[in-house]
Amino acid sequence: MQFPNHAALSAAIVLVFSTFACAQITWTHQVGAVPGPVVMTEGCITADLDGDGDHDVVFANGYALSTAGTAALLPTLLINKFNLSLGFVDESAARLPAITLKATQVIAADLDRDGDLDLVFACNGPSQQRLYLNNGAGVFTDASAARLPGLSIVANCVVAGDVEQDGDLDLFFNDGATNGQLKLVLNNGLGFFSNVTATHLPVAPKSNQQDIVVCDIDNDWDLDVVNSGKSAGQQIFFNDGTGHYTMNNTLLPAGTTLTYETDVADLDGDGDLDLCYLSTSGFTDAVVRNNLIPSGTLSFTGLSSYFTGTNGFDDNEFVYADSDNDGDLDIVIGSLTAAQERLYVNNGAFSFASSTTGFSMLGDPTLDVACADINNDGKLDMVTAQGESGNFLNRLYLGSVLDTRSPRVVRMRGPEGVRSVGDSRLVQIVLHDSAVDDGETTVRQVLLSGSYAHRSGTTAFSVPMTWMGGFLWNATLPVPPGVVLMGSTVTWSVVATDHAGNVLTTTPRVFNVCGAEAYGPGGQVGGVNALSLSGTGAAAGQQLNLTWTGFPFDAGLMALATERAALPYFTGTVLIDPLTILDTLPAFFDGAGVGGLSVGLPAGPSLAGLRLDLQVLQVVAGAVYLSNGLELVICP
């Protein structure tokens, strides 16, 4: 028997594991993988447009330089059939309107809230902007005239986001004309838009606008806008929370006067959003660090030296992707003039080193890049859109490293500790996954899940969170049927699943609901009889003030119980359970039918969580006067 060479075996094992731990993606070009017309394309996206769970591709197909420079073109829609070993299939003619566009960019978003993704095209020209509605099966109709305001502008970009926090997605279009004005159109909730630029945005002319990104740049939980282009003074529009904006064009660093693209992500993992600028002055790409955390003041530091290695090309597109599966975002650059697309690897300390092995050596005039797992093998792939020179051949690059990282929390907030019934139950979260582009990330589903421990037991819940644009999701904690919120202990988490099946479940947060809640009414005779709480509240060590009004006689009773009820009683309703009555107290009234009681609650934890249900009543000569119910749960 021959024993193995243990030293050699150990070295081999170490090599295998170190190679896996430091795996760096290589994107390999797939010759002939992208069908469709060979025309100039300025924008492309990946999105599940037919609802089958995989990523389809849309090419905006801007006007072609090879055909007199201004000819409008048909967009291209490629349906993903890799699961059938058919690759991409061009189904543009069957699924898109036969309308030629001077489209520069396209986005996919559910604008009419029917559960599928619609398409919006930013169109140059100047020409009218376009909205295509999805029928749910990936077939689109042109709804531009009926639903969009007349915007005949030189638009190079469009983005979607819920700027007024009303649950639907609004749209920004930029305007590349001389001294153009950023445009905002608001959604009425059904996918009909109105132009509110004059009332919601300051007059802020900027020439040659190129790119827009919506994001919460100042960490105040609403969507701001970064508007950049090939002119001095890149603009940040700050949201006041209602969709009304103020503008600053001096906050971003100097030297960004020739900008094709701006993109945002938390590149250093500190909880605020940093930026990258493409082809700034002298064709030098730059990373811009947000100093809000930890300084507490919004400011930016921009240095091209954050990129080490090759730089200085005429570039057009940023995509952030975790190329080495180490949990931070690296930077992919689609270049117009470099010998290949480029990868810069994040060292986690805000420095990005050029990798020569990221892409196949293939020089072409790339104008846009989209990142997704195209062939459903758990690896991030890249689609590139070509234009301006060469043969305009769009391309697919397949990735080599499995995505095993769950989505990452950038920031999160929601109720915890002690809350009153009327307090906000809003939960908000900012998420990144392994691919980030144009202020969006690749999360498949985000749920708000948890349970209520209440007087009748425990009830679980799980509801979808709403994508607001940027990386922001919102949801309000629901109150399931049959659950009395007062006195409940609520536990909640966010559960986010990406397209590779990786799941994030945040650490559970807990809050207790206490204070005072009116319920009922009792069904009164002869007037409106009310029982209410005033004063400093229902907490240990505070003064509890009860007031009752609207009763016609000078005396009655206030009953104290431990459970609610709804029992018919003559013409009213008894709202406390008689079997749980602890005591009855006299309730007196003045000549105006008003009375009250003031009780100082002892300090300390002894009463915390105590629940009382109260109701005031008068029964005089067969007439019944009943107040509403009032439930008290003593707060700590």
Side-chain angles (χ1 to χ4, degrees):
M1 181 175 181
Q2 185 175 359
F3 291 93
N5 183 328
H6 290 287
L9 182 60
S10 297
I13 292 172
V14 169
L15 177 62
V16 168
F17 276 90
S18 63
T19 301
F20 175 78
C22 300
Q24 183 170 303
I25 201 165
T26 297
W27 284 285
T28 304
H29 178 232
Q30 308 299 301
V31 178
V34 182
V38 180
V39 296
M40 177 172 169
T41 301
E42 294 193 59
C44 66
I45 58 168
T46 62
D48 182 11
L49 297 176
D50 55 359
D52 64 353
D54 53 31
H55 290 271
D56 310 302
V57 177
V58 183
F59 293 100
N61 294 353
Y63 56 86
L65 298 181
S66 62
T67 54
T70 59
L73 301 171
L74 292 168
T76 299
L77 172 54
L78 304 182
I79 296 298
N80 189 331
K81 297 188 178 181
F82 278 79
N83 63 322
L84 301 176
S85 299
L86 298 175
F88 286 125
V89 178
D90 184 357
E91 297 189 5
S92 309
R95 294 175 178 269
L96 294 179
I99 302 172
T100 57
L101 308 176
K102 297 179 180 179
T104 51
Q105 194 201 22
V106 57
I107 62 171
D110 184 7
L111 298 174
D112 52 2
R113 297 199 293 186
D114 63 353
D116 54 41
L117 295 176
D118 310 302
L119 297 175
V120 184
F121 292 88
C123 298
N124 208 311
S127 56
Q128 171 61 30
Q129 309 311 298
R130 293 286 175 173
L131 168 60
Y132 288 177
L133 292 183
N134 193 336
N135 72 348
V139 178
F140 295 84
T141 56
D142 179 25
S144 309
R147 293 175 178 256
L148 285 181
L151 290 175
S152 183
I153 55 177
V154 183
N156 291 311
C157 188
V158 57
V159 294
D162 183 3
V163 304
E164 50 186 346
Q165 304 186 74
D166 62 352
D168 55 45
L169 295 174
D170 312 298
L171 297 172
F172 282 98
F173 294 90
N174 67 9
D175 189 349
T178 301
N179 293 324
Q181 168 72 46
L182 184 69
K183 304 295 192 299
L184 171 59
V185 296
L186 291 187
N187 193 336
N188 72 345
L190 300 174
F192 291 85
F193 295 84
S194 56
N195 187 355
V196 297
T197 303
T199 56
H200 287 62
L201 294 177
V203 176
K206 179 175 176 60
S207 298
N208 216 336
Q209 298 174 31
Q210 294 290 312
D211 192 57
I212 323 168
V213 62
V214 294
C215 59
D216 181 13
I217 199 71
D218 55 0
N219 285 16
D220 65 349
W221 297 101
D222 56 34
L223 291 177
D224 310 306
V225 185
V226 180
N227 185 39
S228 56
K230 295 190 289 185
S231 60
Q234 310 309 332
Q235 300 171 329
I236 302 180
F237 291 85
F238 292 101
N239 194 339
D240 70 353
T242 69
H244 293 80
Y245 287 85
T246 56
M247 191 273 291
N248 185 300
N249 66 349
T250 62
L251 192 60
L252 291 172
T256 55
T257 58
L258 185 61
T259 300
Y260 292 112
E261 165 117 6
T262 305
D263 219 333
V264 296
D266 182 10
L267 296 175
D268 51 2
D270 64 352
D272 56 30
L273 297 178
D274 311 296
L275 300 95
C276 286
Y277 278 104
L278 267 177
S279 294
T280 57
S281 297
F283 292 135
T284 302
D285 303 328
V287 186
V288 178
R289 187 171 200 161
N290 189 337
N291 302 314
L292 181 60
I293 296 175
S295 73
T297 301
L298 183 66
S299 64
F300 298 92
T301 303
L303 290 173
S304 59
S305 61
Y306 289 151
F307 285 116
T308 61
T310 57
N311 203 335
F313 298 99
D314 186 354
D315 299 326
N316 279 263
E317 167 71 355
F318 275 122
V319 171
Y320 304 118
D322 185 2
S323 70
D324 47 8
N325 198 42
D326 66 349
D328 56 35
L329 292 171
D330 311 306
I331 299 174
V332 172
I333 296 180
S335 183
L336 187 69
T337 61
Q340 64 189 116
E341 319 300 0
R342 306 201 309 286
L343 169 65
Y344 292 85
V345 179
N346 189 345
N347 71 353
F350 219 76
S351 180
F352 300 85
S354 176
S355 168
T356 59
T357 63
F359 282 88
S360 310
M361 288 293 292
L362 185 64
D364 53 16
T366 300
L367 296 180
D368 203 7
V369 180
C371 180
D373 179 9
I374 296 297
N375 58 350
N376 293 319
D377 63 353
K379 304 170 185 178
L380 294 175
D381 310 311
M382 299 284 173
V383 176
T384 68
Q386 309 301 318
E388 290 198 19
S389 62
N391 60 8
F392 301 158
L393 183 63
N394 300 322
R395 303 187 188 277
L396 170 65
Y397 295 83
L398 293 183
S400 62
V401 174
L402 282 172
D403 174 14
T404 64
R405 296 278 180 170
S406 61
R408 177 173 69 86
V409 176
V410 178
R411 289 183 296 124
M412 183 170 68
R413 71 170 181 176
E416 55 187 327
V418 176
R419 292 290 185 269
S420 297
V421 168
D423 288 347
S424 172
R425 301 191 308 278
L426 179 66
V427 174
Q428 296 180 290
I429 188 165
V430 175
L431 284 177
H432 281 351
D433 194 42
S434 296
V436 170
D437 187 23
D438 297 328
E440 299 183 23
T441 196
T442 55
V443 177
R444 181 188 295 275
Q445 183 184 62
V446 183
L447 299 174
L448 179 57
S449 300
S451 64
Y452 285 80
H454 53 96
R455 65 187 62 183
S456 301
T458 300
T459 301
F461 64 88
S462 185
V463 296
M465 299 192 74
T466 299
W467 180 66
M468 291 187 64
F471 312 109
L472 184 59
W473 277 260
N474 281 3
T476 297
L477 287 159
V479 181
V483 171
V484 176
L485 182 59
M486 178 63 71
S488 296
T489 297
V490 186
T491 303
W492 61 269
S493 298
V494 173
V495 182
T497 306
D498 68 14
H499 286 274
N502 303 306
V503 180
L504 162 75
T505 302
T506 63
T507 301
R509 298 193 181 187
V510 180
F511 66 97
N512 297 294
V513 183
C514 58
E517 180 182 27
Y519 64 97
Q524 303 86 10
V525 173
V528 177
N529 314 314
L531 174 62
S532 62
L533 176 74
S534 61
T536 55
Q542 295 182 339
Q543 194 74 16
L544 183 68
N545 297 325
L546 297 171
T547 303
W548 41 84
T549 61
F551 290 84
F553 300 100
D554 58 0
L557 293 175
M558 180 174 69
L560 290 74
T562 61
E563 295 291 341
R564 297 185 184 189
L567 305 174
Y569 185 68
F570 292 97
T571 56
T573 303
V574 175
L575 296 170
I576 58 173
D577 184 351
L579 298 179
T580 67
I581 290 177
L582 299 174
D583 201 356
T584 57
L585 302 174
F588 298 104
F589 306 86
D590 62 18
V594 178
L597 176 67
S598 183
V599 178
L601 298 176
S606 60
L607 292 182
L610 175 66
R611 184 174 68 239
L612 293 174
D613 293 282
L614 314 176
Q615 189 173 23
V616 175
L617 68 156
Q618 287 182 347
V619 180
V620 180
V624 178
Y625 301 89
L626 291 164
S627 75
N628 58 275
L630 184 70
E631 184 166 81
L632 304 177
V633 174
I634 306 303
C635 299

